[in-house]
Amino acid sequence: MLNLHKMKIPVYCFWVIKMETERLIFRSWQEADARALYEIAKDPMVASPCGWIAHTSIIESLACIKTIYTSPLCFAVTLKDGSLIGCIELKETDREDVKEIGYYLGRAYWGHGYMSEAVSYLSQYAFDHLHVIKLRICYYEGNDRSKRVAEKCGFHYTSSHMVYLETYHERRLSHVMIKTKDD
């Protein structure tokens, strides 16, 4: 079921999109999410595989919401009871008809199939409503959870390359998996 609601909210976000799956709600980020985001993002087991430094304060999480999570296609992922469990985003690429899906999930919610459900739904949404012909997921070497989510959702491996992560002052091997509309 797809529910789209548009309304004016603070300057850093121009509209609210709300989508629902069987168990999850995807919605725009709100300042009120800062405490719950901090509880997830302070965990190095969540942050490091994504390539960012674990948050050290609620203020840092609030700044992230205001400055980074501003795209209308960057969603707070919650359970139906409203509990924030993670983030999923359709990111722009150098082609309008190709998007990248990025995601993370709080450690307490690993192993329940939530992110596979989220990626499957957002993939179908991108193909059906955004005229996307190809999606990609990139993950760093050792992030087997992200790799498994991508595989479960029908993505297949295409390439790998080294990237420099300034946050960690290190090079990491990044793997790319894709799924096309025809898959």
Side-chain angles (χ1 to χ4, degrees), residues 115-130:
M115 198 47 70
S116 296
E117 183 177 328
V119 169
S120 290
Y121 184 85
L122 199 57
S123 297
Q124 197 60 51
Y125 174 81
F127 292 136
D128 292 348
H129 300 283
L130 301 178

Side-chain angles (χ1 to χ4, degrees), residues 118-176:
V119 169
S120 290
Y121 184 85
L122 199 57
S123 297
Q124 197 60 51
Y125 174 81
F127 292 136
D128 292 348
H129 300 283
L130 301 178
H131 310 292
V132 171
I133 60 167
K134 186 189 299 184
L135 291 168
R136 71 179 181 217
I137 290 175
C138 301
Y139 65 91
Y140 296 118
E141 179 70 25
N143 190 348
D144 294 332
R145 284 178 179 21
S146 281
K147 176 184 178 185
R148 186 68 190 123
V149 165
E151 289 171 341
K152 282 183 183 179
C153 295
F155 286 74
H156 58 275
Y157 172 83
T158 59
S159 63
S160 298
H161 58 279
M162 294 300 291
V163 296
Y164 181 72
L165 285 178
E166 196 165 313
T167 52
Y168 285 94
H169 304 290
E170 68 183 24
R171 291 173 52 84
R172 285 191 190 174
L173 185 60
S174 178
H175 302 287
V176 180

Side-chain angles (χ1 to χ4, degrees), residues 41-120:
K42 71 180 183 180
D43 185 346
M45 295 284 290
V46 173
S48 180
C50 295
W52 38 269
I53 302 293
H55 291 196
T56 58
S57 70
I58 295 170
I59 292 170
E60 183 178 1
S61 295
L62 178 60
C64 182
I65 291 168
K66 288 183 172 184
T67 62
I68 298 172
Y69 295 170
T70 58
S71 164
L73 295 174
C74 181
F75 301 102
V77 179
T78 71
L79 297 176
K80 293 281 178 133
D81 69 5
S83 302
L84 180 71
I85 65 170
C87 178
I88 191 164
E89 180 177 15
L90 274 173
K91 301 176 182 182
E92 297 296 324
T93 68
D94 57 348
R95 289 185 43 189
E96 192 171 315
D97 59 352
V98 177
K99 301 278 188 247
E100 181 175 324
I101 299 179
Y103 50 86
Y104 64 85
L105 192 64
R107 190 169 9 159
Y109 305 99
W110 292 357
H112 299 282
Y114 293 131
M115 198 47 70
S116 296
E117 183 177 328
V119 169
S120 290

Side-chain angles (χ1 to χ4, degrees), residues 28-44:
S28 298
W29 285 90
Q30 304 163 5
E31 288 184 14
D33 294 325
R35 181 175 299 280
L37 173 58
Y38 171 67
E39 291 303 318
I40 294 169
K42 71 180 183 180
D43 185 346

